Amino acid sequence: MAEGGAGKSGEAPATVEATMTIKKAPRAEVEELPKAIVRRVVKDKLSQLASGGEEEDVSVQKDALLAFSESTRIFIHYVSATANDICKESKRQTINADDVLKALEEIDFPEFVEPLKVALEDFRTKNAVKKSGSKGRQTKKRKVDELSTQNGEDGGDGSDD
Amino acid sequence: MRQAGAYSSMLVGGVSGRTGPHSLPLARIKRIMKQSSDDVRMISAEAPVVFSKACELLIGVLVRRAWAAALRRKRRTLLKEDVAAAVTNTDVFDFLVQVVQQQPK
């Protein structure tokens, strides 16, 4: 897929996946989410749900994990397409966070909006700190900061990594 | 028990602007976003951040409902059919119908 859209015209994206398989080389061009992270999110949620020492019993079949992963990918497509429409309606070029939040409301996930606003504020705060601290070396500086604050907490790690 | 996340983010590989220890990678999310329509042009830096968290929330809801389906069948293993049941039983998951109907053999 040409990211800038150059040279590609007149194609109705009826199914994005079908379009891509035709146009691309045999290697998997469909972007997927990393299995390990999806698995971690799923397991975390299950351990919340099955709290009381039962989480050891709960297993997730590989096909189910794939279904979660694929569902998430389609979710991103669906919300992005909606957000894109919202963005275009406002005659802007750049999809922003607010477009995504509006899209979520539009597709009937209003309960997501509040926690996402919190996460967004958190991100903005962290970013503001980084920007005022240094010009470009944001990641390194943040890791150093986090390392020095977490020194005192080391040793309590009982998580199953 | 999950810790505050600083240590975990080191392990997973810190990407600037991550919102938590298990965050989905922002660059990958951005690419998936671009694949949603032909005319997606520019994406602000914050949008993938919102998606990262939104995806966690979505997985959370899916897992909860799939888990309920497994429990109804007295199982402690989540199967794909539980995910399918969750999708079928929830109106807002209509857009996921194609996911659970796929049966690649």
Side-chain angles (χ1 to χ4, degrees):
Chain A
M1 190 204 80
E3 289 203 344
K8 211 149 74 95
S9 58
E11 248 186 54
T15 47
V16 177
E17 290 80 7
T19 305
M20 284 169 25
T21 13
I22 291 169
K23 290 194 100 53
K24 290 300 185 175
R27 70 189 171 98
E29 197 56 42
V30 174
E31 295 281 358
E32 285 171 9
L33 295 163
K35 290 192 176 116
I37 298 186
V38 172
R39 185 175 177 276
R40 171 59 74 186
V41 176
V42 171
K43 296 287 260 183
D44 265 9
K45 188 64 189 177
L46 278 174
S47 60
Q48 282 173 32
L49 291 167
S51 62
E54 303 168 348
E55 62 260 28
E56 307 306 325
D57 279 342
V58 181
S59 48
V60 186
Q61 194 201 45
K62 202 188 284 188
D63 271 358
L65 271 178
L66 285 177
F68 286 126
S69 188
E70 184 67 0
S71 297
T72 308
R73 191 176 68 83
I74 300 297
F75 175 71
I76 297 175
H77 276 192
Y78 186 28
V79 178
S80 295
T82 309
N84 189 39
D85 286 343
I86 292 171
C87 176
K88 284 197 300 182
E89 273 166 30
S90 317
K91 311 243 191 303
R92 277 179 286 108
Q93 306 286 343
T94 306
I95 300 178
N96 61 28
D98 209 56
D99 296 327
V100 179
L101 292 176
K102 288 208 182 83
L104 285 164
E105 279 180 353
E106 206 166 283
I107 65 167
D108 286 334
F109 284 94
E111 71 272 23
F112 283 12
V113 172
E114 277 316 307
L116 289 176
K117 282 185 177 165
V118 171
L120 186 56
E121 269 319 300
D122 195 43
F123 168 75
R124 284 172 175 166
T125 309
K126 285 193 180 130
N127 241 19
V129 168
K130 277 186 288 184
K131 274 181 184 156
S132 61
S134 68
K135 250 178 107 179
R137 303 280 80 96
Q138 33 197 22
T139 315
K140 253 188 224 160
K141 187 171 174 73
R142 191 162 142 250
K143 275 191 195 163
V144 167
D145 285 343
E146 285 179 359
L147 275 175
S148 56
T149 51
Q150 88 92 35
N151 268 343
E153 297 176 12
D154 197 16
D157 182 9
S159 56
D160 57 332
D161 274 334
Chain B
M1 269 314 177
R2 259 201 326 174
Q3 278 193 325
Y7 187 60
S8 307
S9 67
M10 235 184 74
L11 290 176
V12 181
V15 174
S16 62
R18 295 185 48 200
T19 56
H22 312 306
S23 293
L24 300 158
L26 299 180
R28 191 92 51 106
I29 290 175
K30 193 164 173 176
R31 288 201 290 274
I32 297 176
M33 286 176 71
K34 290 201 174 190
Q35 289 173 357
S36 66
S37 315
D38 272 350
D39 61 352
V40 170
R41 280 184 252 184
M42 293 188 286
I43 298 172
S44 83
E46 292 182 334
V49 171
V50 174
F51 263 112
S52 176
K53 183 69 182 169
C55 290
E56 285 178 22
L57 294 175
L58 175 83
I59 293 176
V61 178
L62 267 178
V63 167
R64 188 172 68 230
R65 289 180 168 255
W67 171 239
L71 278 186
R72 279 198 295 273
R73 295 161 175 80
K74 307 228 187 320
R75 264 190 284 102
R76 280 196 136 3
T77 300
L78 269 194
L79 303 178
K80 184 173 173 179
E81 65 187 66
D82 302 319
V83 185
V87 167
T88 309
N89 294 338
T90 316
D91 279 345
V92 292
F93 286 158
D94 277 352
F95 67 97
L96 293 176
V97 163
Q98 56 175 344
V99 174
V100 294
Q101 279 174 356
Q102 277 171 7
Q103 293 289 346
K105 295 281 190 279

